[in-house]
C-alpha cells in the first residue's frame, strides 16, 4: 500500500468513528501533518504510519523524537493561522500488514 492509499484508509477509518476531517497533508516549512480533524470540540493532529512488517520495530517505532518535534512545530504553525481556541491532541493511525490492520492511538 502506498502512502496516499494509507492516508485515504486512515481518513475513512477516522470518519467512521465520528471525526470530521478538516485538512489533509498540511505542509509548512516546519513539516507536514497527514490529517487534521475535529473530534467534537478537540482539534486532532494525526500522523499516519504504514508498515508491511514489524521487522524494524513497526509503524509506531517509526515515529521518532525528531518526527514528533517536527509534528509539534507544524501544529504550532497551523494553530498560528487562527484555530487556537479549541483544545488539541496528537493521534497516530498505524497500519500494519496485508490485509491492513489499523491501530488508532489517541
Amino acid at each position: 500500500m502506498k502512502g496516499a492509499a494509507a492516508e485515504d484508509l486512515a481518513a475513512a477509518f477516522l470518519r467512521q468513528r465520528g471525526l470530521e476531517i478538516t485538512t489533509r497533508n498540511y505542509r509548512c516549512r516546519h513539516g507536514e501533518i497527514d490529517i487534521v480533524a475535529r473530534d467534537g470540540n478537540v482539534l486532532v493532529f494525526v500522523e499516519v504510519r504504514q508498515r508491511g512488517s514489524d521487522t524494524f520495530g513497526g509503524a509506531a517505532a517509526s515515529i521518532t523524537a525528531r518526527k514528533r518535534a517536527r509534528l509539534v512545530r507544524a501544529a504550532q504553525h497551523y494553530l498560528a493561522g487562527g484555530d487556537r481556541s479549541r483544545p488539541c491532541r496528537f493521534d497516530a493511525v498505524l497500519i500494519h500488514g496485508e490485509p491492513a490492520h489499523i491501530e488508532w492511538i489517541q
Side-chain angles (χ1 to χ4, degrees):
M1 177 182 309
K2 300 281 185 189
E7 289 178 13
D8 290 344
L9 183 62
F13 176 87
L14 293 170
R15 275 191 210 98
Q16 289 173 348
R17 279 140 187 87
L19 277 72
E20 176 190 349
I21 307 300
T22 60
T23 307
R24 300 233 351 229
N25 299 311
Y26 176 80
R27 288 184 173 96
C28 67
R29 65 187 174 102
H30 304 291
E32 177 186 355
I33 301 170
D34 295 324
I35 298 172
V36 181
R38 287 194 184 115
D39 186 6
N41 189 43
V42 178
L43 192 62
V44 184
F45 299 103
V46 182
E47 175 68 9
V48 178
R49 298 303 254 190
Q50 182 263 329
R51 293 290 184 266
S53 75
D54 291 337
T55 303
F56 297 104
S62 71
I63 305 174
T64 63
R66 183 176 180 200
K67 178 63 177 175
R68 289 190 304 270
R70 290 178 61 84
L71 287 168
V72 168
R73 287 193 307 270
Q76 290 170 332
H77 187 269
Y78 182 91
L79 292 169
D83 203 359
R84 290 180 265 177
S85 62
R86 67 181 73 237
C88 62
R89 72 173 192 246
F90 291 88
D91 289 6
V93 174
L94 310 174
I95 303 171
H96 308 274
E98 289 290 331
H101 168 74
I102 299 174
E103 180 182 0
W104 179 22
I105 301 174
Q106 297 182 27

